[in-house]
Amino acid sequence: MKRIYMDNGATTKVAPEVAKVMKKYFSDSYGNSSSLHKLGRDANKKIEEARKIIADSINAEPNEIIFTSGGTESNNLTLKGIAFANEKGSHIIVTKVEHDCVLNSAKWLEKQGYKITYLNVDTDGFVNEKDLEKSINEKTILVSIIHGNNEVGTIQNLEKLGKICRKRNVLFHTDACQSYTKTEIDVKKQNLDLVTLNSHKIHGPKGVGALFIRKGINITPWQHGGGHEFNLRSGTLNVPGIIGFSEAVKIANKKDIEHMIKLREKIIEGVFDKISDVKLNGSKKERLCNNINFTFFGIEGEGIVGYLDEKGICASTGSACSSNSLEPSHVLQAIGFERKDCNSSLRLTLSRYNTEKEVDYLLKVLPEIIEKLRRFTPYKNV
Amino acid sequence: MGKIKDADAVGEVGNLNCGDVMKIYLKVEKNKIKDVKVETFGCIAAIVTSSLLTEMAKGKTLDEAYKITNKDISEGLELPNIKLHCSVLAASALRKAIDDYRKKFKV
């Protein structure tokens, strides 16, 4: 069976052109980018090219970019590294809809004695600017707000939120793992001090990410060793991965975004047309171009995912990272869902490779699956 | 799967908060399960285990059916650890339905 992949929020297929570029750096140009010889110098040259490509893509300088193993590491380094580098302050602000790697880093810091504020969001998933402003105090050192939400797709207005942080002299970080290359990130315009980026959500390889750290910011490294990445992240660089990452950034384009928006709107329209008792979660307007998140009242999301899988369609209920937990989604709870309805979600996340034909097939099988599950749910009137 | 409208007994386990609910309906004749159906709100493991259970229980005496364990149900399914509770839920839903029958008909 040909698989239809609509779980690009979990990870994406490595683009063939990315894989092709990477290949050479496994067994031909395999030098350590820190080595002085020719193979090392070759690798280093490519790494610096990659650094520039990524810096340019967010209007930053190359020496403001460090490579990491991915979004989780970049977010951990941000929260812990900023907390430990700032002796005067002990207060950090995050939102209730962050990815687990931000939330759990924040919780860990709480155990070390730091104060954390978990900001509420409205029913569309937006942070209220006044709430943010009110929660900043003289001890606040960092505000971390996810850009495009990984579950419900809402895109925050970084420019406005960043302005508040800048005005109050507090560092502003965003986790842009889902939004990178899908919507504009401009560190100058959006007043960003730190930005988490990763490769495997944009058709690059897994295990690579980056962190933008504005020049002059004091951050404590967590990985000690040979002093790689401006002494902020020791460890031999993942040369093929980083080169693949930058190639993925290069191939991202506006046309793909328009394509994904077109398919996204077709799915939303089709589902509302054919299925009753359904809600679209997240903002309708300020939304990731590839994200759709529905609640189908009365039935269980994992049941829908299972039957879609049987029909050849890969989807998820929300974050792939939490599907091994039985806890209902913290994001859906934060946007106001009752606990009983938090297990009824379906997330479809598209990519440049999805086609109109695949969407037609989805719109044919999904209503049948929903009807079938509703036929034998004990909760007809929820 | 589904509902038996004139069921002799019903057993419900789980709740919407935890994400899995099973409601088992029994039709009993001469101490034997003549018909059994289930309504399930849950993941595929919950749907499969509860559906499988109804197939296993049909035709059995109440005593035999009561002895069906979660291991009997999950055998051969290769359920991941985190989904084992689905088979436990299914077995206890059936027992609850049988308890309900015995209470109602004092047998």
Side-chain angles (χ1 to χ4, degrees):
Chain A
M1 192 188 331
K2 195 179 167 273
R3 305 295 308 185
I4 295 176
Y5 191 74
M6 294 192 176
D7 196 17
N8 290 278
T11 193
T12 58
K13 155 178 163 170
V14 174
E17 44 278 60
V18 169
K20 200 178 154 204
V21 171
M22 286 172 72
K23 210 175 158 213
K24 184 179 156 197
Y25 296 90
F26 285 105
S27 26
D28 293 330
S29 299
Y30 48 81
N32 183 327
S33 57
S34 301
S35 295
L36 294 176
H37 49 66
K38 169 90 172 109
L39 282 188
R41 290 197 309 273
D42 283 353
N44 186 54
K45 197 174 153 231
K46 287 299 281 188
I47 293 288
E48 293 316 314
E49 277 173 35
R51 203 185 300 281
K52 177 145 184 6
I53 290 165
I54 286 156
D56 285 348
S57 73
I58 59 169
N59 196 18
E61 300 301 321
N63 60 6
E64 293 177 314
I65 300 290
I66 67 163
F67 290 110
T68 67
S69 65
T72 292
E73 187 191 329
S74 295
N75 285 339
N76 270 266
L77 176 57
T78 298
L79 268 82
K80 298 170 187 173
I82 293 296
F84 275 62
N86 288 272
E87 285 165 9
K88 56 169 190 171
S90 55
H91 177 232
I92 290 173
I93 299 167
V94 300
T95 77
K96 286 188 179 164
V97 295
E98 298 303 315
H99 187 274
D100 278 339
C101 62
V102 168
L103 285 179
N104 287 330
S105 294
K107 281 179 196 157
W108 183 84
L109 284 169
E110 226 168 357
K111 279 191 201 152
Q112 318 304 315
Y114 289 84
K115 281 253 172 341
I116 312 286
T117 298
Y118 299 91
L119 284 179
N120 285 317
V121 294
D122 66 16
T123 51
D124 273 349
F126 289 113
V127 173
N128 182 299
E129 290 153 40
K130 283 189 189 128
D131 281 355
L132 170 64
E133 185 136 32
K134 265 190 278 177
S135 61
I136 297 175
N137 61 45
E138 71 281 359
K139 290 228 161 123
T140 311
I141 47 177
L142 175 71
V143 172
S144 178
I145 295 175
I146 190 166
H147 189 201
N149 188 269
N150 55 318
E151 285 191 45
V152 298
T154 300
I155 298 176
Q156 304 289 344
N157 188 327
L158 294 181
E159 199 175 331
K160 284 186 180 167
L161 299 167
K163 218 177 248 168
I164 295 168
C165 298
R166 196 53 58 88
K167 194 177 81 189
R168 302 289 300 272
N169 205 18
V170 171
L171 294 178
F172 184 42
H173 165 251
T174 193
D175 169 5
C177 285
Q178 294 284 345
S179 60
Y180 186 38
T181 70
K182 295 187 179 70
T183 183
E184 188 192 29
I185 297 169
D186 181 322
V187 296
K188 294 194 175 83
K189 198 168 117 192
Q190 292 165 324
N191 305 298
L192 289 157
D193 297 304
L194 298 110
V195 181
T196 290
L197 305 170
N198 87 353
S199 149
H200 78 105
K201 313 279 193 201
I202 63 166
H203 304 293
K206 294 165 186 61
V208 196
L211 180 63
F212 158 76
I213 308 168
R214 183 179 294 289
K215 216 177 287 166
I217 285 177
N218 192 13
I219 184 164
T220 302
W222 278 79
Q223 196 160 307
H224 302 99
H228 306 75
E229 299 301 273
F230 317 107
N231 269 323
L232 290 175
R233 200 270 186 186
S234 288
T236 301
L237 273 73
N238 175 356
V239 177
I242 291 165
I243 292 166
F245 181 16
S246 68
E247 190 64 22
V249 174
K250 266 205 274 185
I251 62 169
N253 64 75
K254 266 210 175 97
K255 237 176 91 189
D256 286 346
I257 295 174
E258 283 159 17
H259 173 70
M260 287 185 265
I261 289 176
K262 198 174 135 203
L263 297 185
R264 181 190 75 187
E265 292 307 305
K266 186 172 173 166
I267 292 173
I268 294 172
E269 210 172 286
V271 162
F272 276 96
D273 198 33
K274 293 176 175 182
I275 302 170
S276 62
D277 289 320
V278 54
K279 184 183 178 292
L280 176 72
N281 301 317
S283 166
K284 209 165 180 313
K285 267 179 127 185
E286 302 301 323
R287 179 176 204 97
L288 289 170
C289 62
N290 70 334
N291 172 293
I292 304 157
N293 187 308
F294 293 118
T295 292
F296 295 102
F297 292 98
I299 51 175
E300 223 262 355
E302 285 190 24
I304 308 171
V305 168
Y307 278 106
L308 280 174
D309 191 31
E310 191 192 59
K311 296 280 182 193
I313 300 173
C314 303
S316 76
T317 57
S319 168
C321 314
S322 20
S323 50
N324 277 329
S325 112
L326 298 172
E327 267 300 295
S329 151
H330 65 272
V331 174
L332 293 180
Q333 290 187 65
I335 63 170
F337 272 93
E338 286 182 55
R339 233 182 125 99
K340 71 175 178 65
D341 292 325
C342 282
N343 292 306
S344 299
S345 60
L346 173 73
R347 182 186 74 171
L348 299 162
T349 38
L350 308 169
S351 80
R352 66 203 301 241
Y353 297 113
N354 288 116
T355 65
E356 198 127 349
K357 231 173 122 186
E358 291 178 341
V359 168
D360 289 336
Y361 176 69
L362 170 82
L363 289 173
K364 185 180 157 281
V365 299
L366 184 61
E368 293 164 6
I369 291 169
I370 302 296
E371 203 205 312
K372 182 170 170 182
L373 286 165
R374 279 187 174 154
R375 232 182 293 139
F376 57 71
T377 174
Y379 289 90
K380 299 248 164 21
N381 302 314
V382 284
Chain B
M1 296 202 72
K3 189 175 181 172
I4 301 177
K5 274 193 183 145
D6 55 344
D8 297 322
V10 182
E12 184 177 328
V13 291
N15 63 64
L16 277 179
N17 290 347
C18 81
D20 289 305
V21 181
M22 296 175 192
K23 200 168 176 181
I24 288 202
Y25 299 85
L26 289 183
K27 199 79 187 143
V28 182
E29 222 175 77
K30 290 177 193 158
N31 217 30
K32 264 190 182 170
I33 296 175
K34 197 188 160 212
D35 198 9
V36 45
K37 280 193 173 168
V38 63
E39 290 183 318
T40 304
F41 171 97
C43 62
I44 285 291
I47 294 167
V48 168
T49 51
S50 59
S51 164
L52 204 64
L53 173 73
T54 60
E55 283 171 31
M56 291 167 78
K58 206 169 170 176
K60 283 201 166 65
T61 66
L62 291 180
D63 284 345
E64 284 166 352
Y66 207 90
K67 283 180 197 147
I68 298 174
T69 65
N70 69 304
K71 273 193 190 140
D72 299 330
I73 304 167
S74 60
E75 212 173 45
L77 281 181
E78 291 178 27
L79 287 178
N81 278 341
I82 196 160
K83 295 292 179 193
L84 276 177
H85 73 281
C86 297
S87 58
V88 178
L89 267 184
S92 54
L94 177 63
R95 281 185 207 133
K96 225 169 163 181
I98 295 172
D99 285 342
D100 181 48
Y101 180 83
R102 284 174 172 159
K103 215 168 130 193
K104 264 191 201 156
F105 297 89
K106 306 208 164 48
V107 285

